[in-house]
Amino acid sequence: QVQLVESGGGLVQAGGSLRLSCAASGSIFSINSMGWYRQTLTKQRELVATITAENSSNYADSVKGRFTISRDNAKNTVYLQMNSLKPEDTSVYYCKMNLKARSWRFDNYWGQGTQVAVSS
């Protein structure tokens, strides 16, 4: 019932910027943390950035100072502003939300992924 829809990916030149969006829809009661992950060469998902319900954010060392995560609770949306993009940022980016839907508990939900490609 809950669906996370991502947008904003694309192809940019090194040094450029992209803004990713991820909006959750469905019967959502509450959203705790939100985050962005990307797929590594080993096909594991590494944490890029997270943001708590209190607006506290964490970033991977590789993106600190370049990426900014934010959230709009009224829209059930998380954003990732990516500046000074590097070719090594190329990946599929996945949105994750820890939320409570038609349940008493919080569960993790994932978006389908959006491709980010950075050319040199």
Side-chain angles (χ1 to χ4, degrees), residues 9 14 54 72 75 80 103 109 112 117:
E54 304 301 321
D72 187 334
K75 298 180 179 179
L80 185 67
S103 175
Y109 292 82
Q112 80 285 353

Side-chain angles (χ1 to χ4, degrees), residues 63-109:
V63 307
K64 286 182 179 178
R66 300 188 297 120
F67 292 8
T68 302
I69 188 171
S70 61
R71 62 191 288 168
D72 187 334
N73 293 325
K75 298 180 179 179
N76 292 333
T77 300
V78 62
Y79 304 94
L80 185 67
Q81 179 66 48
M82 305 185 293
N83 298 325
S84 301
L85 283 164
K86 305 175 181 179
E88 48 263 46
D89 294 320
T90 297
S91 183
V92 178
Y93 284 71
Y94 296 89
C95 168
K96 187 184 80 172
M97 296 189 186
N98 185 250
L99 58 83
K100 184 184 298 182
R102 297 179 181 271
S103 175
W104 54 268
R105 68 183 186 277
F106 285 90
D107 292 311
N108 289 327
Y109 292 82

Side-chain angles (χ1 to χ4, degrees), residues 10-85:
L11 174 63
V12 296
Q13 296 183 23
S17 298
L18 284 174
R19 189 193 189 204
L20 305 183
S21 299
C22 176
S25 62
S27 183
I28 299 171
F29 178 75
S30 180
I31 303 178
N32 189 14
S33 62
M34 302 180 180
W36 290 94
Y37 297 73
R38 64 189 181 189
Q39 194 168 346
T40 67
L41 292 176
T42 58
K43 299 184 179 180
Q44 295 180 316
R45 290 184 183 180
E46 67 174 2
L47 186 147
V48 176
T50 60
I51 185 167
T52 69
E54 304 301 321
N55 249 19
S56 178
S57 59
N58 291 319
Y59 298 92
D61 289 339
S62 59
V63 307
K64 286 182 179 178
R66 300 188 297 120
F67 292 8
T68 302
I69 188 171
S70 61
R71 62 191 288 168
D72 187 334
N73 293 325
K75 298 180 179 179
N76 292 333
T77 300
V78 62
Y79 304 94
L80 185 67
Q81 179 66 48
M82 305 185 293
N83 298 325
S84 301
L85 283 164

